[in-house]
Amino acid sequence: GGGLITLLSDDFVHDDTLDDTYISRVDCGGDGQSPELHWSGVPTDAEKLVIIMSDADAETTDWAMYNIGSDVTSLAGAASAPTGATEMTDYDYTGPCPPIDGVSHRYVFKIYALNASIDDSPANIKALKTSMEGKIIACGQIVGRYERTS
């Protein structure tokens, strides 16, 4: 919905390959650290932010954090959730590890500005997205790529 948030990273350029630092330790041999993210353009009437990272080519979600304060403008690399925010237990950052399928998978880091908080404790991504319905006032994204070859 609504406006556009500019989402950037000092750790990778939009649509560029993610370094092994940000790739899963399990099966993919990376370090499993989340990249630094910073943003601007959050509407003044936003109450909370949500960040979701998903694999656009495998249609999976790999990371989700919600109820980030609207005054927060960045997440440091390998950071834990800011005070008051919740990193979903089944979707904490471990890093991408796509199947070996010859595809350079697109990992979409998307930020949403909401005009209200997420008051329940969503059990999964579907429930989180349902809780976000009607509250999104702006969003933005950055894409990193990774192809697993072994």
Side-chain angles (χ1 to χ4, degrees):
L4 181 64
I5 299 171
T6 301
L7 180 60
L8 301 168
S9 179
D10 289 338
D11 294 329
F12 68 98
V13 176
H14 175 72
D15 210 31
D16 203 2
T17 300
L18 294 169
D19 182 288
D20 283 347
T21 304
Y22 316 108
I23 304 305
S24 176
R25 277 176 253 175
V26 180
D27 295 330
C28 280
D31 295 330
Q33 295 181 15
S34 60
E36 178 274 343
L37 297 172
H38 58 274
W39 51 88
S40 61
V42 173
T44 56
D45 57 339
E47 286 191 28
K48 298 293 181 182
L49 304 172
V50 174
I51 294 177
I52 298 174
M53 182 192 78
S54 56
D55 181 338
D57 298 294
E59 298 182 16
T60 59
T61 297
D62 293 309
W63 185 36
M65 188 180 296
Y66 63 93
N67 282 342
I68 302 166
S70 61
D71 58 335
V72 175
T73 59
S74 66
L75 291 176
S80 54
T83 302
T86 301
E87 187 172 30
M88 293 186 74
T89 305
D90 290 343
Y91 304 97
D92 58 335
Y93 195 93
T94 57
C97 190
I100 300 170
D101 58 6
V103 173
S104 178
H105 284 247
R106 295 167 294 152
Y107 288 91
V108 181
F109 294 80
K110 195 158 188 177
I111 188 167
Y112 300 88
L114 309 180
N115 62 8
S117 63
I118 303 295
D119 295 326
D120 52 355
S121 295
N124 54 43
I125 290 299
K126 183 178 179 181
L128 175 60
K129 288 182 177 180
T130 297
S131 295
M132 293 167 55
E133 287 178 3
K135 299 177 182 176
I136 300 169
I137 57 175
C139 60
Q141 70 180 30
I142 187 171
V143 176
R145 292 181 171 269
Y146 184 73
E147 181 177 350
R148 183 173 167 200
T149 56
S150 62

